[in-house]
Amino acid sequence: MSTLDRAGVLTQPSLGTSLVVALAASFAHAQTGDSKPAPAAPRAPSDRPAPQEGDALSARGLKRNEPGALQGYTLLSPLQSRSTYLVDMQGQVVHEWKTQSGPGQSDYLLANGHLLRTARVEGETRFRGGGIGGRVQEWDWDGKLVWDYKISDERRHQHHDIEPLPNGNVLMIVWEAKTKEEALARGRDEKQLGEDGFWPDAILEVQPVLPDSGKIVWEWHAWDHLVQDRDPKKANYGNVAEHPELLDINADHRFDVPLTEEQKRVKEERERQMRASGYVGGGEDDEDAPRDRRRGGDAPKDGGTPSGGAKDAGSTGGARTEGAMPEGAKPDGTKPEGTKPEGTKPEGTKPEGTPAGGERATPRDGQGGGGRRARGGGPGGGADWMHTNAVDYDAMHDLIVISSHNTNELYVIDHGTTTAEAASHAGGKRGKGGDFLYRWGNPRAYGAGTAKDQQLFAQHDTRFIADGLPGAGHVMVFDNGQGRPDGEYSRVVELELPFDAAKGFTKGKGAAFGPKAPVWSYQDPERFFSHFISGADRLANGNTLICEGASGRVFEVTADKKIVWEFLNPLGGDLPMGGPGGGPGGGRFGPGRGRGPGSPGGDGSDGPPRRRERDGAPNGPDDGAPRDSGAPNDGPQGGERRGPPPGDGPDGRGDGPDGRDGNGPRGRGLPGGPPPFGGPGGGPGGRGGPQPYSLFRATRIPLDHPAVKGRFAPSTPTAK
């Protein structure tokens, strides 16, 4: 993101107004007349009752604001709210955008003061699953809807992230519906297919056409870049290890083993939690129906007419021919390098289901192969093959990075292609068409490592660090840690990519892409974990803003990992748990989701001190012994706890006059506690579980950002 950061600072005019005014003029146009308005005082959200003394909600809000924090405002869109908020450094709401829809999984404050966000469209299409969206909207500062683009029909559906580009266009992640027969023809394991079919991801670049349309000007499809080693008579046949530029169509389940009964219980409870939070949506609401029977039928055949859906003003992509390709062919009709004669297995290929290197495969909590997941279980089910949850853009090198939750990898592709080149294996600025230029996180997915080499576990929010920021050009990832072998905890990692502007990405033949370790990372296994959503963002002062999404905890850490700002989101709850229309359990929160007596904390408190829970996790019961994460450069917060006990560390989590007792009745943490995994009461289902205040990510808007500069009265720099 060389010319655009998550706060929406553009070198080109921004969305909507970008077609008619320059950036500076567009900000002035958002004001009344030519003069700036008088600074506004912070105001409370109007749709929530004020917290009462002793209410668990009153324990939320600002917990820390110390010198060294980057001054500004934080952009938040709670999963259980139709509103998006700006809060100041004191945790007070200073601005609110009220919308008519629950949020998707992405929001940006643009330089002209407009809010760009995704919104949920549910119950209208075959698609359902984690991160569901379906609409991309732009709202002006005063809450007027400027652009409302729906991309939801029986053929495709927007989900998770979007990325505004310097030219005013928007990158979008979409599911594409393929039939079971189409997936089988490409080499997908039949046991992993159900009646929902197969939903590979695509990236679309859309030029906004106001007020409710868009023109697709560029597109990339994972469907065009596959390899399989199951059947030499089917398309894309080849040796997976010889084609790191392609995606193994069976990579998501190749190393899975059956889950234990306890692991199944944890997995199903997490799926229920995610649906209750509004993160999983779409389809029908019958929780008792088999997952594969909620949205029956096949995807429309090629050439079929989608119903509803986006109003496309046009597309430069032209017609796309789907279906099976010639036997053994790549998408451009050529056979992959290393393809063996029909009827033979590629050299070195293991029998189906055998892990590379012969190591024991491990179950993936929340991802497990076969069984119910193959017929629609999990966030989006087996149909949601990649579960791409992030997209970001590097304008300097014209590169796109995406994150696949289900393969535990990030991928970099060339945006300097035409749509035709993006569907092929040649052309573009890097000469490789739409093939992967780089991948990282799980090298055994392309035959270049073993289970011990895996670095990412169900990650989210992969992004380039923008020009002008410390670490510019690096990639930052929120590594959730779901199914991590040494215990489930989250970390944030910063990667220096092996990239040369002239040569591109480099690696040795047959070797995994580097780096072997992050250049910086943050983790705190005792108190930092979110099994889904979440994000991290590098700030101008070198600090990193981290969103522990499930609990709604947002905190800022310095380069040496000291927490200087911390906020427990109290906003949200105006949508019922389960998203629009309610969710499992009924009511606003449903049974067991209350904030008072009856919750696991007894009185709405955080419950017992947190520990690294291994019971029910793939790594077995906790034997009480400390674990070392093995992650480099993590200092005193990584792996085995060293030094003072929790509550007395150098980051301020100790006893003191402000009541920050790290070992009080609320367990570890600050007054009222940063919640145990899942928030007060552990949240629905405990550790890492969602609650009404869950956030998909948070963005710090600095004081000099053109959208906020001069709009508000100055805030007190530090908390009392």
Side-chain angles (χ1 to χ4, degrees), residues 57-70:
L57 178 60
S58 66
R60 302 186 72 86
L62 182 69
K63 297 302 172 186
R64 188 181 311 213
N65 184 11
E66 298 179 357
L70 180 72

Side-chain angles (χ1 to χ4, degrees), residues 25 48 74 100 125 134 195 244 276 360-361 387 418 436 445 477 499 504 507 530 616 639 675 682 704:
R48 296 191 310 107
T74 304
Q100 287 75 49
T125 74
E195 294 180 17
R360 174 179 171 80
H387 196 77
T418 64
F436 296 150
V477 187
F499 178 76
K507 77 174 187 68
S530 178
D704 60 354

Side-chain angles (χ1 to χ4, degrees), residues 400-470:
I400 292 172
V401 64
I402 61 175
S403 162
S404 171
H405 169 286
N406 287 1
T407 63
N408 305 292
E409 286 191 286
L410 62 88
Y411 308 108
V412 176
I413 59 175
D414 186 4
H415 181 253
T417 60
T418 64
T419 292
E421 289 171 334
S424 75
H425 312 279
K429 290 185 178 179
R430 303 294 167 185
K432 297 184 182 295
D435 286 346
F436 296 150
L437 302 176
Y438 174 81
R439 59 198 300 174
W440 193 86
N442 186 18
R444 68 172 174 167
Y446 55 100
T450 70
K452 294 180 181 179
D453 300 308
Q454 184 172 338
Q455 300 247 21
L456 296 179
F457 296 85
Q459 78 285 345
H460 285 75
D461 200 29
T462 299
R463 63 175 77 186
F464 293 107
I465 297 178
D467 279 358
L469 301 180

Side-chain angles (χ1 to χ4, degrees), residues 199-219:
W199 307 341
D201 284 317
I203 307 298
L204 306 182
E205 180 180 345
V206 177
Q207 178 184 343
V209 178
L210 307 184
D212 60 358
S213 187
K215 179 180 181 181
I216 298 173
V217 298
W218 182 86
E219 50 195 285

Side-chain angles (χ1 to χ4, degrees), residues 488-489 525-529 608-616 620-624 668 676-677 687:
E488 291 195 321
Y489 57 90
E526 295 295 331
R527 63 194 300 269
F528 174 39
F529 175 65
R610 297 188 311 188
R611 64 179 179 86
R612 222 177 306 172
E613 298 175 4
R614 289 182 173 79
D615 298 339
D622 188 358
D623 60 7
R668 310 190 195 284
F677 298 111
R687 189 173 188 246

Side-chain angles (χ1 to χ4, degrees), residues 23-50:
L23 182 143
S26 68
F27 176 68
H29 184 70
Q31 314 299 319
T32 302
D34 294 328
S35 60
K36 294 183 178 179
R43 60 184 177 87
S46 59
D47 56 352
R48 296 191 310 107

Side-chain angles (χ1 to χ4, degrees), residues 172-422:
M172 305 178 186
I173 304 169
V174 299
W175 286 309
E176 296 186 301
K178 304 294 181 184
T179 65
K180 178 179 179 180
E181 291 71 26
E182 286 175 314
L184 287 173
R186 295 293 178 100
R188 179 70 169 173
D189 183 352
E190 185 173 12
K191 296 190 296 294
Q192 300 295 322
L193 291 167
E195 294 180 17
D196 280 341
F198 191 61
W199 307 341
D201 284 317
I203 307 298
L204 306 182
E205 180 180 345
V206 177
Q207 178 184 343
V209 178
L210 307 184
D212 60 358
S213 187
K215 179 180 181 181
I216 298 173
V217 298
W218 182 86
E219 50 195 285
W220 175 90
H221 302 260
W223 187 248
D224 295 328
H225 304 280
L226 304 177
V227 63
Q228 58 90 12
D229 59 6
R230 289 180 58 84
D231 191 339
K233 296 181 180 180
K234 293 182 178 179
N236 309 312
Y237 181 75
N239 188 326
V240 172
E242 294 178 359
H243 295 284
E245 78 281 6
L246 302 176
L247 183 56
D248 177 10
I249 196 171
N250 295 298
D252 60 323
H253 65 272
R254 182 181 290 273
F255 304 104
D256 288 344
V257 296
L259 300 178
T260 66
E261 290 303 313
E262 179 62 12
Q263 290 162 2
K264 289 178 183 178
R265 183 195 66 77
V266 172
K267 174 176 176 287
E268 291 176 3
E269 172 62 15
R270 285 180 171 176
E271 291 170 8
R272 184 190 65 78
Q273 292 172 14
M274 289 187 285
R275 181 170 287 276
S277 74
Y279 171 73
V280 176
E284 299 172 13
D285 293 327
D286 182 5
E287 283 294 309
D288 295 325
R291 295 282 176 114
D292 58 334
R293 299 189 183 276
R294 291 185 199 161
R295 301 296 295 183
D298 289 327
K301 301 295 182 181
D302 299 313
T305 303
S307 59
K311 296 182 180 179
D312 290 335
S315 171
T316 62
R320 291 172 46 80
T321 302
E322 310 291 359
M325 298 184 299
E327 294 176 357
K330 278 191 168 186
D332 61 356
T334 63
K335 289 191 175 183
E337 297 176 10
T339 299
K340 301 296 181 180
E342 294 181 9
T344 64
K345 294 288 282 185
E347 183 178 351
T349 300
K350 301 288 183 180
E352 178 60 25
T354 302
E359 78 276 9
R360 174 179 171 80
T362 55
R364 293 273 179 261
D365 180 32
Q367 297 182 48
R372 184 176 179 185
R373 181 180 182 277
R375 296 184 294 274
D384 182 10
W385 164 49
M386 297 175 65
H387 196 77
T388 302
N389 54 32
V391 59
D392 202 30
Y393 180 63
D394 174 3
M396 176 175 288
H397 302 107
D398 208 7
L399 299 173
I400 292 172
V401 64
I402 61 175
S403 162
S404 171
H405 169 286
N406 287 1
T407 63
N408 305 292
E409 286 191 286
L410 62 88
Y411 308 108
V412 176
I413 59 175
D414 186 4
H415 181 253
T417 60
T418 64
T419 292
E421 289 171 334

